[in-house]
Amino acid sequence: LQTLMNQVVLVTGASSGLGKSIAFHLHSLGYTVYGTSRNPKQYSKKFPFTLVQLDVTQKDSIAQLVQTIEKKEQRIDVLINNAGVGITGPVEETSLNAMRANFETNFFGPLAMIQAILPIMRKHADGTIINITSIAGSMGLPFRGAYSASKGALNIISEALRMEIAAQGIRVLTLAPGDYATDIASRRYHEAVIDHSPYKTTYQESLDTMDTHVDSGNDPMEVAVKVAALLRKKNPKPHYVVGSFLQKFSITLKKFLPQKAYEKLLKNHYKL
């Protein structure tokens, strides 16, 4: 493993939320950090790490960024695929185009980053890729179905990739956070609550519950500290979880409870 001080880390979606906390923390530990944002110019307050322009849904944008960093640093040791967007709505009423756009950012975006960066990591026969998924990716959450699906898909493809590249000395793992106090709700795609919809009441109540959970979420720095700990592991597991005890426990419960009992728990939680 490279010594910490000269490891080059690329964190997507680092201008706010979890990505910002991760980038700040890794910078403070001595990593050379590049954070990305779709509009870095709007963050005029100076970040201690380098904030660069990137849209993970645009191949040219990715190619240009990766080329620039490699030219300057000769290496990229760590990729943290954090950029992601939320989406809410009943499955029946959510526009398929909105779902496709969500997958472009949450699923295809990280894969495009991986495809661009693997050849660089392979030159050094070393590297770590951390895909930030979500506890929501382990279960289909009502009115968050498309989001759960995009993160669940990233979880599964990470398992396949991990086995494919293990012999190349490159590590792949996922980190699934629960609810953290970030501004994700303000950037989430909301399908509107429709007046005469059969979901009107239940969807509105779920939206209120979701926002309360995010607002009362833990400090995002918890996720940053966990990422730093994972980077020190020589032989990490495929999946890690960070969040409140109940959120982490929900994944364990799904493995052991009868399916209908687990479904009932979720329905009660969402008052369905």
Side-chain angles (χ1 to χ4, degrees):
L1 285 166
Q2 280 265 119
T3 57
L4 213 137
M5 289 307 283
N6 53 4
Q7 280 211 337
V8 177
V9 181
L10 177 56
V11 184
T12 65
S15 57
S16 62
L18 298 180
K20 183 177 170 183
S21 295
I22 292 166
F24 260 91
H25 186 56
L26 294 182
H27 170 81
S28 76
L29 294 176
Y31 288 90
T32 301
V33 177
Y34 286 83
T36 77
S37 165
R38 277 179 301 190
N39 313 300
K41 286 193 179 74
Q42 77 182 51
Y43 301 94
S44 50
K45 54 179 184 297
K46 283 271 185 271
F47 282 30
F49 52 89
T50 312
L51 192 66
V52 284
Q53 201 280 328
L54 173 73
D55 182 339
V56 297
T57 66
Q58 302 296 323
K59 206 176 173 183
D60 294 348
S61 175
I62 294 171
Q64 195 180 347
L65 172 73
V66 170
Q67 210 177 347
T68 306
I69 298 177
E70 192 188 15
K71 201 171 170 185
K72 193 171 173 208
E73 306 288 351
Q74 280 75 57
R75 58 191 308 126
I76 296 172
D77 300 287
V78 178
L79 168 63
I80 298 170
N81 272 318
N82 163 75
V85 284
I87 179 170
T88 58
V91 172
E92 182 186 350
E93 293 175 356
T94 304
S95 113
L96 291 182
N97 281 342
M99 291 194 203
R100 284 189 190 100
N102 188 268
F103 265 76
E104 283 297 336
T105 300
N106 290 0
F107 179 70
F108 293 110
L111 293 185
M113 292 299 298
I114 289 166
Q115 289 181 350
I117 282 171
L118 274 179
I120 299 170
M121 289 183 169
R122 195 159 41 241
K123 283 180 195 171
H124 304 278
D126 191 22
T128 304
I129 296 166
I130 300 182
N131 290 327
I132 304 291
T133 57
S134 170
I135 286 178
S138 298
M139 58 205 76
L141 293 180
F143 307 114
R144 290 170 79 177
Y147 181 75
S148 284
S150 70
K151 292 296 193 176
L154 187 57
N155 256 333
I156 292 292
I157 207 163
S158 298
E159 292 179 359
L161 172 69
R162 181 183 158 97
M163 291 185 272
E164 289 169 3
I165 65 174
Q168 300 170 20
I170 301 165
R171 296 163 291 283
V172 179
L173 55 142
T174 72
L175 177 60
D179 288 321
Y180 280 87
T182 69
D183 58 349
I184 188 169
S186 64
R187 289 172 286 118
R188 190 190 289 142
Y189 173 89
H190 285 292
E191 203 54 72
V193 179
I194 301 169
D195 263 352
H196 303 296
S197 160
Y199 310 102
K200 185 186 173 193
T201 316
T202 48
Y203 175 36
Q204 185 60 64
E205 280 178 2
S206 287
L207 279 179
D208 299 341
T209 306
M210 270 178 242
D211 291 344
T212 312
H213 285 173
V214 169
D215 293 340
S216 63
N218 292 10
D219 182 348
M221 194 46 81
E222 270 182 25
V223 180
V225 170
K226 182 75 173 175
V227 166
L230 293 176
L231 289 181
R232 290 192 291 272
K233 286 186 184 290
K234 286 210 169 62
N235 189 17
K237 296 186 298 187
H239 303 293
Y240 290 88
V241 182
V242 59
S244 71
F245 171 76
L246 273 179
Q247 287 165 354
K248 289 193 280 193
F249 193 50
S250 65
I251 295 181
T252 313
L253 278 178
K254 187 171 188 192
K255 288 177 188 156
F256 296 109
L257 275 183
Q259 293 177 44
K260 285 185 175 174
Y262 187 77
E263 185 181 58
K264 195 173 179 192
L265 271 183
L266 280 182
K267 284 169 77 176
N268 287 344
H269 181 76
Y270 283 90
K271 303 182 180 71
L272 292 173

